[in-house]
Amino acid sequence: EAQVTQNPRYLITVTGKKLTVTCSQNMNHEYMSWYRQDPGLGLRQIYYSMNVEVTDKGDVPEGYKVSRKEKRNFPLILESPSPNQTSLYFCASSAGFSYEQYFGPGTRLTVT
Amino acid sequence: RKEVEQDPGPFNVPEGATVAFNCTYSNSASQSFFWYRQDCRKEPKLLMSVYSSGNEDGRFTAQLNRASQYISLLIRDSKLSDSATYLCVVNTGGFKTIFGAGTRLFVKA
């Protein structure tokens, strides 16, 4: 089954404790992206990747890092989480930039 | 001004009604356009792509007006199952994806 998976689905952590949210897709997609969704603001793009080793900032990259060492994986790293990073996070992939994006089920992160 | 703007609604309509959503975008270099549907904080799913010539998928019709920089979605014969948030999505010339904040639709029996 074609899918995008994210782990963990739910995470409660404390300020400053480094964490990684994993994202994996099995569709051999080149384009992958991370978004955060906050009430009233919609989805905002954090980082995107056009292919392996090619990443770039979206609209809200501050406080986040990404890497794309393999085509299927695109982890999101929060080196020092803060409460304002409490949000619902989605990973997505697509065959190319102008194509439909397939989303993972989301990761609900709470930073206390 | 937001890059992609939508009326947040909510739109409350009876079953069988026709409802239209509009979305405007500010970047004239934008390349591709979509409508996604999102149910109750679940992952967004593609409803349809939007083309300049207009396109239809069953009860749903999407239009793109590049000159005026807006996108529309028309839903005919609304069903209870159409209740959701509809997201306007624009891919800009800089390889970024911009989502509108979404329009909430409630279809009542």
Side-chain angles (χ1 to χ4, degrees):
Chain A
E1 178 191 357
Q3 61 182 351
V4 178
T5 57
Q6 292 180 230
N7 283 292
R9 294 289 312 280
Y10 303 91
L11 179 60
I12 300 173
T13 189
V14 297
T15 299
K17 186 176 181 181
K18 181 179 178 180
L19 67 92
T20 299
V21 184
T22 64
C23 173
S24 184
Q25 50 94 4
N26 63 0
M27 295 169 278
N28 200 36
H29 283 168
E30 292 187 347
Y31 186 87
M32 297 187 74
S33 193
W34 274 103
Y35 300 89
R36 62 178 288 174
Q37 185 172 30
D38 302 290
L41 296 177
L43 279 85
R44 293 179 292 167
Q45 193 173 40
I46 303 170
Y47 269 94
Y48 61 90
S49 170
M50 300 298 288
N51 213 325
V52 175
E53 303 290 6
V54 182
T55 63
D56 207 348
K57 297 176 181 179
D59 282 336
V60 288
E62 295 77 20
Y64 304 95
K65 286 176 57 177
V66 293
S67 68
R68 187 94 180 270
K69 297 189 186 331
E70 305 167 282
K71 199 171 188 179
R72 65 182 292 126
N73 296 323
F74 190 43
L76 179 69
I77 303 157
L78 285 73
E79 294 268 4
S80 183
S82 62
N84 65 12
Q85 293 178 297
T86 292
S87 189
L88 177 59
Y89 291 86
F90 289 105
C91 179
S93 73
S94 66
F97 172 63
S98 296
Y99 293 83
E100 170 189 4
Q101 292 190 56
Y102 294 82
F103 285 80
T107 295
R108 192 171 295 277
L109 172 66
T110 301
V111 184
T112 62
Chain B
R1 182 187 172 189
K2 292 181 180 178
E3 289 192 69
V4 176
E5 295 203 65
Q6 293 182 249
D7 182 342
F11 285 63
N12 292 287
V13 302
E15 274 187 295
T18 295
V19 61
F21 305 139
N22 290 322
C23 167
T24 59
Y25 62 95
S26 60
N27 188 338
S28 59
S30 297
Q31 298 178 340
S32 51
F33 310 87
F34 306 88
W35 284 102
Y36 280 74
R37 170 192 169 130
Q38 186 176 29
D39 293 291
C40 202
R41 302 289 270 180
K42 293 189 176 179
E43 71 271 25
K45 293 184 179 178
L46 180 71
L47 181 65
M48 56 199 308
S49 303
V50 188
Y51 306 112
S52 298
S53 54
N55 48 304
E56 186 173 310
D57 183 2
R59 298 181 293 108
F60 300 86
T61 301
Q63 296 274 0
L64 166 64
N65 185 318
R66 285 189 182 271
S68 301
Q69 294 181 205
Y70 80 80
I71 306 152
S72 64
L73 176 68
L74 183 75
I75 305 175
R76 291 180 297 277
D77 189 23
S78 299
K79 310 292 185 190
L80 294 175
S81 57
D82 293 333
S83 297
T85 297
Y86 291 84
L87 306 171
C88 172
V89 182
V90 175
N91 286 346
T92 71
F95 299 108
K96 291 183 179 179
T97 301
I98 309 294
F99 278 73
T103 298
R104 296 190 71 185
L105 172 66
F106 294 101
V107 181
K108 306 168 295 184

